[in-house]
Amino acid sequence: DTITFNAAIIACEKSASWEKTLQLFGMLVQSEAESNVITLGAAISVCARGGRWENAVQLFGAMAESKLELDSTTVDAVMSACEKGGRWEKVLQLFSFMQRHRMESNTITCGTAISACERSGQWDKAVHFFNVMLQCVVELGMASFSAAITSSEKSGSCSWEKALQIFNVMVQTELEANITTCSAAISACEKGGEWEKALQIFHLMVQDKVETDTVT
């Protein structure tokens, strides 16, 4: 019955065995037992952790079609799987789904969306998305700032200005700068011929005892 399948799938979730999870879910469907939020949520979680974004999306679709109650944790898991698989389009589609259903965005949700765009070379989209999140007063973590600054550094015109704007916002939020964010901001200033601003960031790194490397 459903309870038995739930227990088995949850056990697979704890062991991160997506193969066994999908096998059990297939047996559940064939037995015509009714799947529920726990079953699908656990199955999605395992597939996401295993990098099986296609399976995670399929299960999410089944969950939506069944009109089961969806929460941000489930959507976050699917978004994470798609981000790791380089499917930035899917990530943004899922984010739009959350907005349409008035689900609350959080640090993980926003960070995943921005990172997905940055990792896929969609730098302008990453920066745009970051700005939208700031306007929505969503708390952003270091990963979001890092991806946005890196995207600004690699994007088109006035990249150094965008990178510095984001870097300054990060400093104002009292997040600790790291070598990734500082290096990207310095690189953007270097490309824009803003050597004085690059030196200011470098001095900030020394002052805050941020690790430096040869590139910096």
Side-chain angles (χ1 to χ4, degrees):
D1 58 10
T2 302
I3 296 176
T4 304
F5 277 110
N6 281 349
I9 290 175
I10 290 172
C12 289
E13 179 190 15
K14 292 179 180 178
S15 63
S17 177
W18 63 267
E19 298 98 331
K20 291 181 180 178
T21 298
L22 291 178
Q23 184 180 9
L24 283 168
F25 188 78
M27 293 170 62
L28 171 67
V29 173
Q30 290 178 0
S31 69
E32 296 185 356
E34 185 178 353
S35 57
N36 57 29
V37 174
I38 297 173
T39 313
L40 287 162
I44 288 171
S45 177
V46 175
C47 290
R49 288 163 60 188
R52 306 292 299 182
W53 69 267
E54 303 100 323
N55 298 117
V57 169
Q58 289 173 356
L59 290 168
F60 179 79
M63 198 170 184
E65 289 178 6
S66 300
K67 296 183 179 180
L68 295 172
E69 184 178 355
L70 297 165
D71 57 22
S72 59
T73 302
T74 303
V75 183
D76 284 343
V78 184
M79 287 178 67
S80 177
C82 292
E83 186 263 335
K84 291 176 182 176
R87 309 301 299 182
W88 64 271
E89 306 100 319
K90 289 288 184 184
V91 172
L92 297 191
Q93 286 173 10
L94 287 163
F95 187 84
S96 297
F97 176 90
M98 292 184 71
Q99 289 185 313
R100 289 197 304 272
H101 291 79
R102 298 182 180 179
M103 294 183 183
E104 185 176 354
S105 301
N106 54 39
T107 303
I108 297 174
T109 310
C110 299
T112 299
I114 295 168
S115 178
C117 294
E118 185 265 328
R119 289 180 60 184
S120 300
Q122 301 295 320
W123 299 310
D124 289 336
K125 284 185 173 62
V127 175
H128 171 73
F129 210 84
F130 179 86
N131 290 331
V132 170
M133 293 303 97
L134 282 181
Q135 293 172 6
C136 294
V137 198
V138 175
E139 182 179 352
L140 295 169
M142 179 55 73
S144 297
F145 279 99
S146 179
I149 292 172
T150 300
S151 296
S152 296
E153 183 259 326
K154 293 179 179 178
S155 65
S157 61
C158 300
S159 61
W160 70 268
E161 292 180 344
K162 294 176 184 177
L164 276 186
Q165 287 173 358
I166 297 172
F167 186 85
N168 289 332
V169 172
M170 181 190 72
V171 173
Q172 291 170 9
T173 59
E174 299 184 354
L175 286 172
E176 292 185 5
N178 58 31
I179 188 170
T180 302
T181 53
C182 291
S183 294
I186 288 173
S187 178
C189 292
E190 183 267 330
K191 289 179 180 178
E194 299 292 326
W195 63 269
E196 291 180 340
K197 289 182 171 60
L199 283 178
Q200 289 174 3
I201 296 172
F202 182 78
H203 290 152
L204 177 65
M205 292 180 72
V206 174
Q207 177 183 321
D208 292 348
K209 299 180 180 180
V210 177
E211 181 185 1
T212 58
D213 61 8
T214 306
V215 176
T216 310

